[in-house]
Structure formats: structure tokens, C-alpha cells
Amino acid sequence: AAVQPKILSWKERGAFDYAGAGGGFLDALGYPYCRGRLWNHLEKDLGQYDDTIVVDWASGACLAIRGKDFFAMEGFDAHFFAHMEEIDLCWRLRKAGRKIGYLGVVPVFHQGGATLDRASPQKLYLNIRNSLSMLYKNEPGYRFMWIFVAKGFLEALGALGFLLSGKRENAQAIMKGYADFWRRKSLIQRQKKEPVREIPRSGPVNFLLGNVWLLGVRRFSDL
């Protein structure tokens, strides 16, 4: 139903871009990651992802989608405003039995940060709020609750770290994201179908933060 190309950085032409890179995936807690980009760690483009595969999500930085599929899914969720809306759309498409593709032989160059700078507290707030909204929409109730608790614990630690490092606005962005999600969740239209997991995952890949923070993994191929 949808496809993205290989997305490289406009500023550093030989490196992958943060927004989509070599095709997007989701871990068990709903954290998005890409081939060529794990958290904030970007790989050089050495042709390692010049292939064609099925992915969890295609980046909104450069997304081609059939019009009939876009409108059948009612497009992007307007409640998101910005960030995560393409991942939510792709998740709904997959639950409807459609596939999302990555075409690595086609490169594009992306000028990142045009909407919000990557380090912006507003971007952090939107990512926190919209990630929770996406999970609430697409995961069954029992899975959402354990994900909510696990993410809440990890992101509370993140907020504490921001406070201790003097980044008060970032800590407030995390807390605001949770508060606004909870306040707005009655407006979120939950999806009734069970999640579709077309892409097999080994155990360690299911928890991105553990790989990046604890094990020091920096490349997708090392997961």
C-alpha cells in the first residue's frame, strides 16, 4: 500500500537521515527505529541497505501511498498534528492486511528539522503524546497497559535525567505528553483488529533502549 526510498541527509550526503533512513520498525514498547539509525546514532551509507524489503512503517519525509488506501484508512489522524502520524497510518494499513515497503535503490536527500528541531522540547512532547496515542489506538487493552507502565517508568527516568542536567523544559515536555494523552484519550478512536506482526523479531531486538543504552549497540546489523 505504501513505500519509502532510502533517505539520506541533505547536510551530510554520505550518511543516513534521522527521518526514516533505511526503513522503519517498531520495538515491543512502540519505540520507532530504522536501519541506518538507532536512536540518535546514524550510519554511513555504504550500500548496506540498497535492497527491497517489507517494513513496519514508511517515513513521512518521503512516502508514496495509493490514494484509495490513504482514504480507506481516513488518512493521517488529525489529533496527532505532527510526528508519529505516518507510523500510526502504516500500522492501521498493516492491520488491514496491507504491506509497507522500502526501496533502497532509490535515494532521496532530506533537509531535517524544518518543522521542529530534533532537540526541541515541543518535538519531545509531541513524540511522547503521539506515541501513547498510537499505542492506545492499535494495541489491545491488556498489552497497552503493560506498555504504558513500562514506558512510563523509562520515561520518568528520562525526565529525572533532564532535570539533573538542567534541562527543565525537556522534563516538563515528557510530563506534559503523558498528561495530555490521558486528558485526550476519550477522543481517540481505538482500532478493533489485533496487531499484525508480519516481520519476525528475535528477543533482544524487541527492546531498543536496552540494546542502545545498556549494550551500546550503534548499528542495526548488530541487533
Side-chain angles (χ1 to χ4, degrees), residues 169-188:
E169 289 185 349
N170 293 69
Q172 290 174 332
I174 293 175
M175 294 184 287
K176 182 183 177 185
Y178 272 82
D180 280 5
F181 158 73
W182 201 257
R183 178 177 59 84
R184 292 155 34 105
K185 74 182 182 70
S186 62
L187 303 175
I188 299 170

Side-chain angles (χ1 to χ4, degrees), residues 18-19 33 90 99 130 133 146 176 198 217 222:
Y18 183 88
Y33 61 102
C90 289
K99 292 183 178 181
N130 293 348
S133 296
W146 84 260
K176 182 183 177 185
E198 302 103 333
V217 174
D222 294 332

